[in-house]
Amino acid sequence: MNGSQTLINNPELLRQLPDAELQATLLEGVSRTFALTIPQLPGELYPAVANAYLLCRIVDTIEDEVSLSAEQKKYFCSAFIDIVNTGNNADVFSAELAPLLSEQTIPAEHSLIQLVPRVIAITRSLDAPQIEALTCCVETMANGMPVYQALDLHAGLKTLKDMDDYCYYVAGCVGEMLAKLFCHYSPEIAAHREELLRLSVSFGQGLQMTNILKDIWDDAKRGVCWLPQDIFNETGFNLAELTPATDDERFRLGLSHLVAIAHGHLQNALTYTQLLPSHETGIRNFCLWALGMAVLTLKKIKANLNFNESNQVKISRNSVKATIVATKLTVRSNLLLSLLFNLTSRNLKSPDWHYSPISHTGQ
């Protein structure tokens, strides 16, 4: 572990690695979860999906960098869109952005920004339909994220629709990209292209909503809230009053409603996975591990609605191992997957509640 940590902190050593090893090492540094799930994919898919995740992480790094102004973030996001589209000026971008990153950005992301030219060279080596899928995703994400940088988010988002839009920019478009890559890989999968593309947005939203709910209190400490006020209007709680010290039954009721909505999206994620050919166990496991970990996280949130730190609802390593074992045993059977999902997630619904969007006049 120490060896890989030393490597991830040393861009010069990283530059000497072959493409596949470079992407694997960078993935390990920036996301343990994706470093675990992406290698489950077929060998023909791994380079494109690993590269796609690194491109998205570059956009995330820009968005999360505390030392950059909203204007600088917009500038770098726009420049990055051009680089992914053309393959040009990656070295200039890297040289300009790298010195601006603060210590709050993790070492692996410092290395990733310094290695943008290598990452982009790998992007440009992919098949044309793969490049198109990646550039479309990066463009959507990099255009969407800066919009939220300019908002005052201490009182949350206004409506569930606003939350849906945000989740699309950060995760739904990634789901669409993966669906396109899977369809390019397999004509059998491409037979369900339209339905997969539709469900992929919901899949991404389910995963992103789970992250938002898990990280409520970490975000609150920064004065940020991604929750939609209209859900809490029904329970009588004002998100502007949310602080890390909040202990309010009205807030917990609204939170349980959001868990139910996220559950509905994860139900769509299961349907998406079941549309994939049963013999494509690698792609199915890639989807199921993410889905399973999200369900278990929502279960912990639902069972601990009064939690006040993300660590309290973080799933254990044993839970991750159990998810992997359970999905490997059931991966080929749609019936067993449905039974497993229904059994595991049965307490996540709010059967006596349904979301009713309030129509606003003049909009």
Side-chain angles (χ1 to χ4, degrees):
M1 182 65 198
N2 285 343
S4 65
Q5 195 59 48
T6 304
L7 189 58
I8 199 69
N9 294 344
N10 192 324
E12 291 310 314
L13 284 177
L14 285 170
R15 279 192 182 92
Q16 297 168 29
L17 298 177
D19 288 352
E21 203 177 328
L22 173 69
Q23 293 206 130
T25 307
L26 287 171
L27 270 179
E28 176 72 29
V30 298
S31 172
R32 299 296 295 278
T33 301
F34 281 98
L36 179 73
T37 58
I38 294 177
Q40 304 313 308
L41 294 168
E44 304 95 311
L45 270 170
Y46 178 86
V49 176
N51 189 257
Y53 185 80
L54 293 175
L55 295 179
C56 293
R57 194 62 185 226
I58 291 163
V59 180
D60 280 342
T61 301
I62 297 168
E63 190 205 13
D64 294 341
E65 176 50 66
V66 293
S67 74
L68 297 177
S69 67
E71 205 52 46
Q72 284 175 305
K73 289 178 182 184
K74 192 174 179 182
Y75 164 76
F76 281 113
C77 280
S78 178
F80 191 59
I81 291 170
D82 288 340
I83 289 163
V84 176
N85 268 309
T86 65
N88 299 331
N89 301 317
D91 48 351
V92 176
F93 172 89
S94 179
E96 200 174 344
L97 177 57
L100 301 179
L101 299 181
S102 66
E103 288 184 7
Q104 280 184 255
T105 291
I106 61 172
E109 288 176 345
H110 278 264
S111 293
L112 176 60
I113 296 304
Q114 291 188 54
L115 289 160
V116 165
R118 272 293 295 281
V119 173
I120 292 296
I122 297 169
T123 309
R124 304 309 298 178
S125 72
L126 300 171
D127 293 347
Q130 293 177 316
I131 295 172
E132 190 278 329
L134 270 59
T135 53
C136 181
C137 174
V138 167
E139 191 159 346
T140 300
M141 185 181 279
N143 278 328
M145 282 187 175
V147 171
Y148 292 88
Q149 290 293 330
L151 299 180
D152 178 0
L153 292 166
H154 85 281
L157 297 162
K158 287 191 175 68
T159 67
L160 184 62
K161 166 75 167 62
D162 294 326
M163 187 189 205
D164 291 349
D165 290 346
Y166 173 71
C167 287
Y168 175 69
Y169 286 131
V170 297
C173 64
V174 178
E176 285 180 326
M177 173 195 64
L178 288 170
K180 290 175 185 174
L181 292 176
F182 296 163
C183 289
H184 171 257
Y185 158 78
S186 161
E188 195 178 350
I189 294 175
H192 299 285
R193 181 183 175 91
E194 292 313 309
E195 195 173 359
L196 287 170
L197 282 171
R198 179 179 61 80
L199 290 168
S200 68
V201 175
S202 189
F203 196 152
Q205 173 144 4
L207 300 183
Q208 186 61 27
M209 278 190 76
T210 302
N211 283 335
I212 288 172
L213 298 179
K214 173 176 65 72
D215 294 334
I216 289 166
W217 303 111
D218 294 347
D219 290 335
K221 286 172 188 168
R222 301 186 293 116
V224 170
C225 177
W226 295 104
L227 306 180
Q229 178 60 55
D230 66 344
I231 294 291
F232 293 88
N233 287 342
E234 297 179 24
T235 68
F237 183 79
N238 183 356
L239 289 173
E241 297 169 10
L242 185 68
T243 72
T246 294
D247 181 8
D248 193 305
E249 191 55 42
R250 297 169 303 168
F251 175 72
R252 289 191 280 273
L253 181 58
L255 194 54
S256 71
H257 292 165
L258 286 170
V259 167
I261 292 169
H263 169 268
H265 287 296
L266 295 181
Q267 181 83 58
N268 286 338
L270 177 67
T271 304
Y272 174 100
T273 307
Q274 290 171 323
L275 282 171
L276 300 169
S278 59
H279 62 85
E280 291 289 1
T281 54
I283 305 179
R284 279 188 164 216
N285 276 326
F286 171 80
C287 296
L288 289 169
W289 293 5
L291 170 56
M293 287 186 263
V295 167
L296 292 182
T297 302
L298 287 180
K299 273 174 67 86
K300 290 200 81 166
I301 292 170
K302 185 70 181 278
N304 302 281
L305 289 171
N306 60 345
F307 81 103
N308 54 19
E309 280 187 16
S310 60
N311 282 341
Q312 294 166 356
V313 292
K314 190 175 180 183
I315 61 173
S316 67
R317 290 192 176 205
N318 283 341
S319 293
V320 173
K321 287 176 186 172
T323 300
I324 290 170
V325 170
T327 52
K328 279 189 171 179
L329 290 172
T330 55
V331 65
R332 289 176 179 269
S333 168
N334 284 351
L335 175 62
L336 289 177
L337 287 174
S338 289
L339 287 171
L340 182 63
F341 179 85
N342 292 335
L343 183 69
T344 314
S345 67
R346 64 187 182 279
N347 296 327
L348 299 180
K349 300 176 184 178
S350 292
D352 54 346
W353 175 82
H354 297 283
Y355 173 64
S356 302
I358 300 164
S359 59
H360 298 281
T361 54
Q363 288 191 359

